Amino acid sequence: MTKILTGGVGKTEVANAVRALDLDGVEVEVSSDMDAAMKLRSGQADYYLGTCHTGAGASLGVLVGLLGRPACHTFGRTVPTEDEVAALLADGKKVFGFSMDQTETVAPLLARALARA
């Protein structure tokens, strides 16, 4: 079972976009930043998808502070390719940030990649 936490401004929208995919073995939970960091640290969750208006700092600020930059990546306002996501997962990234206006594109792309990871 892969557990994905969502947070930030568009956390409910991201959770709904991932749930709509109905991916086998994927559980989604809406979370706060602090709760997500603690669950990721303790192994109670596997990944975090955070959103803000720009996808830059606020989408991951707390998680970068508590988990460290090596675990985190923000796409900002760009839409990643499947290959870019695969490379980030291979590099150990578990926390991803993006702009909330990219939710319908980025959330499904990430969720499918996380389900395969």
Side-chain angles (χ1 to χ4, degrees):
M1 176 67 67
T2 299
K3 186 166 187 174
I4 300 171
L5 304 175
T6 66
V9 178
K11 61 187 170 190
T12 301
E13 292 84 355
V14 172
N16 290 340
V18 174
R19 286 183 188 121
L21 299 171
D22 197 29
L23 298 169
D24 286 336
V26 173
E27 178 184 348
V28 184
E29 179 181 314
V30 174
S31 180
S32 70
D33 295 353
M34 288 298 290
D35 191 44
M38 296 304 109
K39 286 183 177 180
L40 287 164
R41 271 186 166 178
S42 68
Q44 296 175 40
D46 301 296
Y47 300 100
Y48 175 85
L49 306 180
T51 54
C52 69
H53 293 286
T54 64
S59 63
L60 301 182
V62 170
L63 287 109
V64 168
L66 294 175
L67 300 177
R69 170 97 23 225
C72 305
H73 179 80
T74 184
F75 297 106
R77 298 189 47 77
T78 65
V79 175
T81 66
E82 289 183 24
D83 289 341
E84 289 170 326
V85 173
L88 291 166
L89 290 170
D91 193 36
K93 304 295 185 198
K94 298 200 172 283
V95 176
F96 299 93
F98 52 96
S99 173
M100 62 186 262
D101 66 349
Q102 302 291 340
T103 296
E104 293 302 315
T105 306
V106 177
L109 178 92
L110 286 171
R112 288 184 184 106
L114 300 178
R116 290 189 299 266

